[in-house]
Amino acid sequence: MVFYALGSKFIQEKKDRENTSPKAQEVIYYSLAIGHHLGVIDCLKPQITCKVAEYDAWIAQLPIDGEARRKLEGVKRFGEINIDGTHTHLLAVALHHSLPQMTEQQQQWSRELIALLQRMENEPAIYLLVRRHDDW
């Protein structure tokens, strides 16, 4: 599992297209076509990485019927999830309250995620994408 955070946005200007190879231009065009912003590519940077089994054990520490756990389990069903400003408080509170029962590694991931969630509170344009990588 990888938690990616929005690091920057890329807007391709006409002058940039003229200096871009046709192969690279094809990749950019495809990225824009499947993206959710018109004319903008979001540049995501990996922030937290763990194996699928480790992720499962980590989120198993959250309340079983809680919304935070349900949200984070979504990546197992859908392959990826988005975390935006509407999820920050919910996730941060659940992670914080579950810290005492977590392993040291799980606590570290939780603190890193809480810090990312706090960044999102301060900068609403930031969001997280969590993606499952089955080959890990």
Side-chain angles (χ1 to χ4, degrees):
M1 300 291 194
V2 181
F3 285 75
Y4 297 94
L6 175 65
S8 60
K9 289 184 178 281
F10 169 75
I11 302 173
Q12 189 176 33
E13 302 290 341
K14 184 177 180 182
K15 62 182 166 80
D16 296 328
R17 284 194 299 270
E18 295 167 356
N19 296 323
T20 304
S21 74
K23 187 77 170 164
Q25 186 63 37
E26 184 179 324
V27 171
I28 292 169
Y29 176 79
Y30 179 73
S31 298
L32 291 172
I34 63 171
H36 61 281
H37 296 290
L38 182 60
V40 178
I41 297 175
D42 290 349
C43 302
L44 301 171
K45 295 181 181 178
Q47 302 292 316
I48 301 170
T49 304
C50 60
K51 295 184 182 328
V52 174
E54 294 170 330
Y55 181 83
D56 290 343
W58 176 28
I59 63 170
Q61 304 307 311
L62 299 174
I64 195 160
D65 293 328
E67 283 296 307
R69 183 166 172 173
R70 184 196 62 75
K71 174 66 179 169
L72 293 174
E73 284 178 337
V75 74
K76 293 176 3 181
R77 284 190 299 277
F78 307 115
E80 71 179 40
I81 58 170
N82 286 319
I83 298 174
D84 61 30
T86 64
H87 308 109
T88 55
H89 182 73
L90 168 83
L91 293 173
V93 168
L95 289 164
H96 178 74
H97 286 301
S98 300
L99 283 172
Q101 64 214 34
M102 293 181 178
T103 67
E104 228 175 278
Q105 179 63 70
Q106 292 168 346
Q107 289 176 356
Q108 180 182 339
W109 291 326
S110 293
R111 287 187 182 103
E112 290 173 15
L113 182 51
I114 290 168
L116 289 168
L117 296 169
Q118 288 172 335
R119 277 183 48 209
M120 291 171 64
E121 284 286 320
N122 296 331
E123 177 53 60
I126 296 174
Y127 67 92
L128 302 176
L129 174 77
V130 186
R131 179 171 283 164
R132 181 182 67 222
H133 293 276
D134 292 323
D135 55 339
W136 290 13

